Amino acid sequence: MALDRVRIGFLPLVDAALPILAREQGFAKAEGIEIELVRDMSWATVRDRLLYGHTDAAHMVAPLALATALGRGRPAVAMAVPFVLGLNGNAITLALPLADQVLDGDSLGDPVVLGARLKTLALARAAAGERLRFGVVHRYSSHNYMLRYWLAAVGIRPDVDIEIVTISPSFAADALAAGEIDGICVGEPWNSVAVDRGVGRIALVTAQIWRRGVEKVLAMTADTLAQRGDTVARLIRALHAAAAHFVDADSQAESAAILARPEYLAAPVDPIARAIGDRVRLVQGAEPVHVPDFMFQYREAANFPWRSQAAWLYSQMTRWDGTPFSAAEAETAQGVFRPDVYRAALAGSGAPLPGASSKIEGAIGGTGVAAGSTQGRLILGRDPFFDHRAFDPDDIPGYLKALP
Amino acid sequence: MRIAIIDTSTTRAAIISDGLREAGLDDLVIIDSGGRLVAQLEAAAPEVVLINLENPSRDVLEEFFAVSRALDRPIAMFVDQSDAESTAAAVDAGVSAYIVDGLAKQRIKPVLDLAIRRFQAFARLQAELHEARSALADRTTIDRAKAILMKRRGIDEPAAYGLLRAQAMRSNRRIAEIADAIITSDALMGDM
């Protein structure tokens, strides 16, 4: 039987692992799919190839899928996200001269303590007319929102006290080395590449800002989902199997070697292996430290597209674009995430399926809670934001009003 | 109409700008995407920006346009969105065009069409170059394989070539592939 071809666009990042492993380890073939991967260097290109039919689906920063559906910066195209490729896995890396001033010891920074020090320094720099400059990978990226969420919560006004610019992930280390920027919020392996080159020090991981922050998603146009529903369901099953394989300790070295190949990340294997194993080398030459939940690819139904995650991203989009909250836009944004498609694809597979499609984000503390599920047993672990605010998707205006 | 061209390939940038000049569009600025893109664009203040799809600076460019809009400066948008066909053609050819809002469709269309043709011309050039290079490599490989056969079997050059060709036809492979296999096995077997 001929295999069903699916072309998937991606950027060279560790969290592009699931489509790559689905192809390389035969999970796609087992579902009758042949995955073809198309690598790009910018998110704008990944999006354009998707919209104009060069690709059928894409590895995409979650907010960009929402921005495309909402017509931010370009005409709106209805989008669908039936699968989350993973949570977190990003870090904030500071240029060494800045790191020396605000970090001490050889452990990860504390978001509150580091934030207070950074604030003092940022304000002094701004007063001297030379604002600190941070790089994120795209205007509509989780990196941008995580960084801004943290900065604002510690009293630093992004765009006023500091500057945030866009920089392609693969060039982040170069920009740090050249002194063009003072810090980056980027996905792996690019923080570790900067560390190994001796041009930066990892200060925080984004899991410290929001323990269960949604990161890359599998995005496609709503048209593609409508026309190729059966193929999409098989793709979801293949990606889910790849996620289970990804977190299996026995397969990590092999996964890292595959991702490092020239046609995928074209990057050194060592930092990739560290990221997969939740180990982070903070500074050049140091022993990597274990960071629990650094990258979250499978457990606790991590791949389930919670509508409340889309709602949180939308809240940040209105916050930082300076556009007013709109109930219609909030509904469109949440409608991009398709828990119904995820459930239908994995029904009968043994994968835990949450009964609800939305939850209060950041409200689970202690050792976690058991969540209602229509299939399988599901325990959701702690998911706090570092400032302990919870996000209720049914009251976005109230949430926005309470934010600094 | 001022047009900015952002391209990592200087050859391609030259091919595009030549074409635009021939068409009478000579207010061109070539922007070095390795440098400070935003500052250069600000200084150039173009009405149209042409950038290749593979350029990693595209995200920087979109950020710049979004911020410019917030500052109440001219709005820039992706190529004429009402015309999905020509946008798709542009993406196919590998070119992205951003235009300042309000620029009449009749004015941007010829620029875009020209850019697409020029991108395709560049792609053809690349393909021809690649072909020429691999043809040259093939020739060298075949010559080396012939030399090996002549020495090992004590035959002359036409006979060696005949052997290669016959084997290629039998196994339905290219002569260069057979030659490559002979060189590899010769290297492995040595003077056995």
Side-chain angles (χ1 to χ4, degrees), chain B:
Chain B
M1 170 158 57
R2 174 164 298 174
I3 303 169
I5 299 163
I6 306 174
D7 209 319
T8 34
S9 157
T10 46
T11 317
R12 182 165 44 200
I15 289 177
I16 297 166
S17 50
D18 283 352
L20 291 169
R21 281 205 185 87
E22 276 166 32
L25 296 154
D26 47 14
D27 192 1
L28 307 176
V29 188
I30 300 201
I31 289 179
D32 168 19
S33 61
R36 298 293 287 271
L37 180 71
V38 169
Q40 292 179 75
L41 271 175
E42 229 150 16
E47 286 166 90
V48 178
V49 179
L50 294 174
I51 183 168
N52 68 315
L53 211 59
E54 282 78 27
N55 198 308
S57 300
R58 286 195 61 214
D59 288 337
V60 181
L61 190 67
E62 294 200 355
E63 170 72 18
F64 168 68
F65 288 143
V67 173
S68 299
R69 175 166 20 186
L71 296 174
D72 205 26
R73 299 238 306 276
I75 299 171
M77 303 180 90
F78 193 66
V79 282
D80 190 0
Q81 38 271 347
S82 61
D83 187 356
E85 220 166 273
S86 66
T87 304
V91 172
D92 268 333
V95 58
S96 277
Y98 293 85
I99 62 171
V100 173
D101 195 27
L103 196 64
K105 190 173 169 179
Q106 308 85 274
R107 293 185 67 202
I108 178 65
K109 186 84 168 94
V111 175
L112 190 58
D113 286 347
L114 192 78
I116 292 171
R117 280 203 305 277
R118 288 273 141 177
F119 260 68
Q120 281 161 344
F122 177 76
R124 266 199 306 277
L125 203 68
Q126 288 284 89
E128 276 164 21
L129 195 66
H130 180 77
E131 229 167 74
R133 273 200 194 126
S134 61
L136 200 65
D138 281 357
R139 177 109 36 90
T140 317
T141 309
I142 293 167
D143 284 346
R144 282 180 59 198
K146 274 193 300 195
I148 291 166
L149 287 177
M150 284 156 70
K151 187 172 149 225
R152 291 251 162 153
R153 298 209 165 195
I155 51 179
D156 64 1
E157 193 182 330
Y161 187 75
L163 266 179
L164 279 173
R165 200 182 49 186
Q167 183 59 31
M169 283 169 68
R170 262 200 304 279
S171 55
N172 197 24
R173 282 153 72 194
R174 292 171 54 236
I175 293 181
E177 283 175 52
I178 303 294
D180 199 42
I182 289 173
I183 295 168
T184 308
S185 81
D186 184 63
L188 285 175
M189 303 296 191
D191 288 329
M192 250 173 70

